Structures are given as structure tokens and as C-alpha cells.
Amino acid sequence: MILLYESGEAAFADNGLGALPDALSCTVTEARNGEFELAMEYPLSGLHYADLLPRRLITAPPRSGAGPQPFRIYRITRPLNGRVTVYAQHVSYDLSGVVADPFTAGSAQAAMAALQEAAEGAGFSFFTDIASSAEMAVS
């Protein structure tokens, strides 16, 4: 099921603004260490069409059998033949605009904690189960 959410949603525990059942197509492109994007064709007469706005979030499964992933709308084309194309990037792209203060760490877990502190206000939490130790620095 494809669902639409407000731009600040983080829990995705309900149906948000609602389902987008009228999608004519919805394709997620995922490449290892590469793009992770959604393209959806939607009719102007579709349920919640007026709610499709830049920065809002769409959840959709990236492939058959996978759980839904959140994608942030970054572009909506002009209507053509009664439909638009909505383009969205995975929310992990939101991190590309976050600046982190310099820090050092002596383990993977310390690095995650330091990154959490250095990227204050990023809206993400960081975690690792790697227990190895090594000195690192981010300038």
C-alpha cells in the first residue's frame, strides 16, 4: 500500500494523510550504494492528489515482499493528459545536507555517539552493533 504523510512524520505508525490507491504506476529504483528513488504517476482526479506537495513523504515497498520505505517528494511535474509524475528520494538523502562538527572516536560505537552529537538536529539516530576499536577522526 502506498501512503502519504506530512513532511515531519517519523513514526509511520498510522495511515498518515491517507492511501494513494489511484496511482497509475509506482516504481522504486534502488541500486547498491547508489540511487534510491521513487517515481509515481498519479491522476489529477485521484484521492489525495491535492495533498501531494514537495517535502511530504510517501511510503512504498521498494520491491515485492519488502516492507515500506519512506521517500521525500522533491518534484511534481506539470499536469499532462490528466496526470502528474511525482518524484521522491529515500529519506536517507536528507542527511546529505547535514553538517557535522569535527570529532574523534576510538570505536565504532563511540563514533556513532559522537556523530549523533556532532550532527545535532539531523533528525536521525545512529546505531551500530560493531564492537571493534580503532582511532578515527572527522575533520
Side-chain angles (χ1 to χ4, degrees), residues 25-27 29 35-42 52-58 71-78 84-90:
S25 69
C26 185
T27 305
T29 303
E35 71 178 321
F36 198 7
E37 297 201 10
L38 174 144
M40 178 180 68
E41 276 193 59
Y42 208 77
L52 292 170
L53 299 171
R55 304 288 304 153
R56 285 206 168 147
L57 297 161
I58 294 173
F71 296 86
R72 187 171 304 284
I73 298 172
Y74 69 87
R75 180 174 171 232
I76 302 169
T77 63
R78 288 186 170 191
V84 295
T85 302
V86 177
Y87 296 97
Q89 295 176 321
H90 192 267

Side-chain angles (χ1 to χ4, degrees), residues 95 98-101 103 113-124 126:
L95 286 171
V98 174
V99 177
D101 295 327
F103 66 90
L115 182 58
Q116 185 73 50
E117 175 108 2
E120 190 68 35
F124 286 84
F126 306 96

